Amino acid sequence: MELSETSKIGNPSSLHSPGSLSRNILENARKTIAKKLNARTTEIIFTSGGSEANNTVINIFRNSTILASRIEHPSVLKPTEKLGNPCIKIPVSKEGFIDKSFLKNKLETFLQENPKEKILISVMMANNEIGTLEPIKALSKTVEEYRNKGLKNLFLHTDATQAFGKINIDVKKLKIDYMTISAHKIGGPVGIGALFLRSGTPFAPLILGGSQENNRRAGTSNALLAEGFRSAVQYTIDIESEKLFKEKITPLKDFLAKNIKKQIPSSILLTPNKSLPNILSFSFPAAEGESTQLYLDLENIAVSTGSACASGDLEPSHVIMATHNDAEIAHNSVRFSLGLDTQKSDIDILLDKLPPIINRLQKISTIKTKDVK
Amino acid sequence: MKNPWAYTETVKEHFLNPRNFLMGDETKFKADGEGIVGNPICGDQMLIKIQVKTRENGEEYISDIGWKTYGCASAIASTSALSELAKNRTLEDADKISAKEICDYLGGLPEHKFHCSVLGHQALHKAIKNYQEKKAPEGAS
């Protein structure tokens, strides 16, 4: 969309021409997103982003049973803790995979004791810190199985914010009830996301007011952001981003992981094999994550860390605490994110800069490691 | 480009070029007193080692200081700053160094960092105490 056109767009809810133009833009975006997910257009609700979409789903199940994995994004965990009754956290393995037998045991108990209970299971498609791909297909099979057994009010939500555009997502094949996505994770604008809502599933709007989004999300629709979202989604379709990530980025990530482990033997790999193509997380003993992050920043390498020192609330990463229950491993964790524009030469630069930084931090650290005598 | 970090230029300088730190095997630094504070679980830990000499007027002072730190940029920079502030000071004077003095020396620290990462003065206090205990004749109180 050209900038000159932006002055012509009006409120999509208005019947005049500028409003109509806006509405077309909005509905066109919805169509593109629906097509990408193999959903119906009526099953897509625009939101202000992933956090709002997650909050919306949890809010539908307020005062009901909510089972959420311990490594969900805070925009799932915080509302779940507040609104779930009860709020049940699903434990995860060291690799971040949900404990399926824990979940089945819980469902079995509900089946025996309270089969009419309204239950939401919320498990993310891919974890944003360590990249773990959760077994969503197997999970939806379990949900179907228990529905058939008698848990008629059992529903599945997945936060696919991190996975969208990186791996193929077909909501019909996956048999998901609710799904969250966000534009900025695929190169679109910040400030818009969407909630997939399978037809026939319970719904209650989070934001009350006007009748926008078919009475499901009040507030003037933002056609400009929707156009940005559409454009980013269309780009992932045009370039077949999922295929590119798999074929081009996964080998780079594997190469990086192998060489970090080789050059820094004490390092702890936090990302499992079954993970997103673009996320690699390590913990470097005795080298605190914020220090590593800032040293790398000087080399124009941007990474993130699960260290408490780098977080606003001074708490270590809840994800790494859930997988390893070890604050030191969390403090020392560093996440490397690769993009479609990442080249082998970028990886080589990182592999050149990282080991001396870790070695230096380990050498001035009060904590001993096997790498530093 | 302007410094985009949350830290002052002085913090950045001390983080990138820390003074008086001990690399690798810290036992090579022969200390008269040493102290350690903090906890890796909390994300910060500092070890301070001091050498003490006596001036002609009888005053004891820190003739050399070495340290190790596990922690964030603020922890490393504040321990480095402390080592500069303590060097050549009398024990009595060095023992009075406060978190505020370290913070002022660094040109300020983000509020949340001030409380958790400025611990070096406590390690120094322990090192001075350790020196004094070692020096005191056995049985003396």
Side-chain angles (χ1 to χ4, degrees), chain A residues 131-263:
Chain A
T132 307
L133 284 171
E134 296 294 345
I136 299 299
K137 204 166 184 183
L139 194 55
S140 70
K141 267 191 186 157
T142 303
V143 166
E144 201 177 17
E145 180 193 328
Y146 276 88
R147 257 187 216 146
N148 292 338
K149 280 184 180 177
L151 289 181
K152 297 292 178 210
N153 295 313
L154 175 63
F155 299 93
L156 175 64
H157 167 242
T158 188
D159 175 0
T161 305
Q162 201 71 30
F164 186 50
K166 314 288 189 318
I167 57 166
N168 287 312
I169 302 172
D170 181 322
V171 290
K172 279 219 178 89
K173 271 192 192 158
L174 287 173
K175 295 186 176 169
I176 295 161
D177 298 311
Y178 305 90
M179 188 173 82
T180 297
I181 55 170
S182 176
H184 77 96
K185 288 284 178 185
I186 54 162
V190 173
I192 188 161
L195 174 63
F196 159 77
L197 164 77
R198 191 171 58 76
S199 301
T201 50
F203 190 77
L206 179 69
I207 301 176
L208 303 170
S211 60
Q212 292 88 353
E213 297 296 302
N214 210 3
N215 285 311
R216 294 178 298 187
R217 200 271 188 185
T220 305
S221 305
N222 193 326
L224 268 186
L225 288 180
E227 170 59 13
F229 198 176
R230 185 208 60 79
S231 167
V233 171
Q234 189 58 49
Y235 184 69
T236 66
I237 296 169
D238 293 345
I239 64 164
E240 294 184 85
S241 65
E242 296 83 357
K243 194 168 167 241
L244 275 182
F245 268 109
K246 191 180 175 187
E247 289 171 3
K248 188 187 157 219
I249 304 305
T250 302
L252 284 182
K253 184 186 86 161
D254 294 344
F255 174 79
L256 178 61
K258 198 176 123 196
N259 282 281
I260 288 178
K261 196 68 207 159
K262 198 167 141 193
Q263 294 191 38

Side-chain angles (χ1 to χ4, degrees), chain A residues 286 288 307-309 316 326-332 365-368, chain B residues 36-46 70-71:
Chain A
E288 192 276 333
S307 166
C309 296
D326 185 324
E328 256 185 84
I329 290 180
H331 292 313
N332 302 335
S365 178
T366 53
I367 303 165
K368 301 266 183 291
Chain B
I36 188 162
V37 293
N39 185 338
I41 306 276
C42 304
D44 294 294
Q45 190 173 52
M46 287 86 174
Y70 161 72

Side-chain angles (χ1 to χ4, degrees), chain B residues 24-85:
Chain B
D25 183 7
E26 70 271 13
T27 58
K28 285 179 189 156
F29 184 90
K30 295 295 168 211
D32 298 313
E34 62 179 74
I36 188 162
V37 293
N39 185 338
I41 306 276
C42 304
D44 294 294
Q45 190 173 52
M46 287 86 174
L47 164 76
I48 301 273
K49 297 182 103 178
I50 54 169
Q51 288 174 359
V52 179
K53 282 185 181 165
T54 309
R55 291 204 177 100
E56 281 178 8
N57 63 5
E59 273 180 349
E60 288 180 313
Y61 72 102
I62 296 172
S63 59
D64 203 0
I65 186 166
W67 58 269
K68 283 193 138 188
T69 287
Y70 161 72
C72 62
S74 165
I76 291 173
S78 68
T79 318
S80 170
L82 166 84
S83 72
E84 287 286 89
L85 286 166

Side-chain angles (χ1 to χ4, degrees), chain A residues 13-207:
Chain A
S13 303
S14 300
L15 294 176
H16 49 55
S17 300
S20 178
L21 173 65
S22 225
R23 200 161 50 251
N24 288 343
I25 291 168
L26 194 67
E27 294 316 314
N28 200 20
R30 201 186 310 276
K31 212 191 269 177
T32 304
I33 293 164
K35 190 180 150 205
K36 168 93 180 171
L37 300 176
N38 194 19
R40 297 180 200 163
T41 50
T42 51
E43 293 175 322
I44 304 295
I45 303 173
F46 285 115
T47 65
S48 62
S51 288
E52 186 194 317
N54 284 339
N55 270 267
T56 302
V57 176
I58 303 303
N59 184 58
I60 301 166
F61 290 84
R62 66 160 60 218
N63 297 323
S64 306
T65 299
I66 306 175
L67 293 123
S69 91
R70 285 186 64 195
I71 61 170
E72 291 305 300
H73 190 267
S75 59
V76 165
L77 284 181
K78 288 194 179 170
T80 296
E81 283 160 8
K82 204 174 161 193
L83 305 173
N85 185 24
C87 147
I88 301 169
K89 304 243 181 102
I90 308 167
V92 294
S93 68
K94 268 202 158 64
E95 293 184 314
F97 296 113
I98 54 156
D99 186 337
K100 282 186 248 172
S101 55
F102 174 92
L103 184 65
K104 280 193 173 179
N105 281 341
K106 291 285 171 198
L107 295 180
E108 205 57 53
T109 309
F110 279 109
L111 189 61
Q112 302 305 324
E113 294 172 4
N114 191 7
K116 285 184 181 164
E117 175 70 9
K118 196 171 153 193
I119 306 167
L120 177 73
I121 298 172
S122 184
V123 173
M124 64 208 323
M125 194 166 287
N127 183 266
N128 50 314
E129 291 188 31
I130 56 175
T132 307
L133 284 171
E134 296 294 345
I136 299 299
K137 204 166 184 183
L139 194 55
S140 70
K141 267 191 186 157
T142 303
V143 166
E144 201 177 17
E145 180 193 328
Y146 276 88
R147 257 187 216 146
N148 292 338
K149 280 184 180 177
L151 289 181
K152 297 292 178 210
N153 295 313
L154 175 63
F155 299 93
L156 175 64
H157 167 242
T158 188
D159 175 0
T161 305
Q162 201 71 30
F164 186 50
K166 314 288 189 318
I167 57 166
N168 287 312
I169 302 172
D170 181 322
V171 290
K172 279 219 178 89
K173 271 192 192 158
L174 287 173
K175 295 186 176 169
I176 295 161
D177 298 311
Y178 305 90
M179 188 173 82
T180 297
I181 55 170
S182 176
H184 77 96
K185 288 284 178 185
I186 54 162
V190 173
I192 188 161
L195 174 63
F196 159 77
L197 164 77
R198 191 171 58 76
S199 301
T201 50
F203 190 77
L206 179 69
I207 301 176

Side-chain angles (χ1 to χ4, degrees), chain A residues 285-295 297-298 307-312 314 316 326-328 331-332 359-368 372-373, chain B residues 4-5 7 12 15-18 21-26 36-37 39-47 67-74 76 112-113 116-117:
Chain A
E288 192 276 333
E290 190 208 76
S291 288
T292 307
Q293 182 185 45
L294 292 177
Y295 268 115
D297 183 60
L298 287 176
S307 166
C309 296
S311 77
L314 292 178
D326 185 324
E328 256 185 84
H331 292 313
N332 302 335
N359 189 258
R360 181 183 163 89
L361 287 170
Q362 288 180 331
K363 274 187 173 166
I364 69 164
S365 178
T366 53
I367 303 165
K368 301 266 183 291
V372 179
K373 297 286 176 279
Chain B
W5 292 11
Y7 296 120
K12 196 173 167 183
F15 169 58
L16 299 175
N17 303 297
F21 63 97
L22 302 169
M23 264 289 200
D25 183 7
E26 70 271 13
I36 188 162
V37 293
N39 185 338
I41 306 276
C42 304
D44 294 294
Q45 190 173 52
M46 287 86 174
L47 164 76
W67 58 269
K68 283 193 138 188
T69 287
Y70 161 72
C72 62
S74 165
I76 291 173
H112 64 289
K113 292 284 180 178
C116 64
S117 62

Side-chain angles (χ1 to χ4, degrees), chain A residues 269-342:
Chain A
L269 176 64
L270 302 174
T271 300
N273 276 337
K274 202 169 173 293
S275 58
L276 282 176
N278 65 318
I279 286 185
L280 185 63
S281 186
F282 267 98
S283 181
F284 302 109
E288 192 276 333
E290 190 208 76
S291 288
T292 307
Q293 182 185 45
L294 292 177
Y295 268 115
L296 283 171
D297 183 60
L298 287 176
E299 306 291 350
N300 293 318
I301 299 167
V303 299
S304 45
T305 170
S307 166
C309 296
S311 77
D313 58 6
L314 292 178
E315 288 293 328
S317 150
H318 73 283
V319 173
I320 298 164
M321 289 307 287
T323 56
H324 286 76
N325 193 26
D326 185 324
E328 256 185 84
I329 290 180
H331 292 313
N332 302 335
S333 68
V334 174
R335 180 188 73 176
F336 305 95
S337 305
L338 287 73
L340 282 178
D341 54 352
T342 303

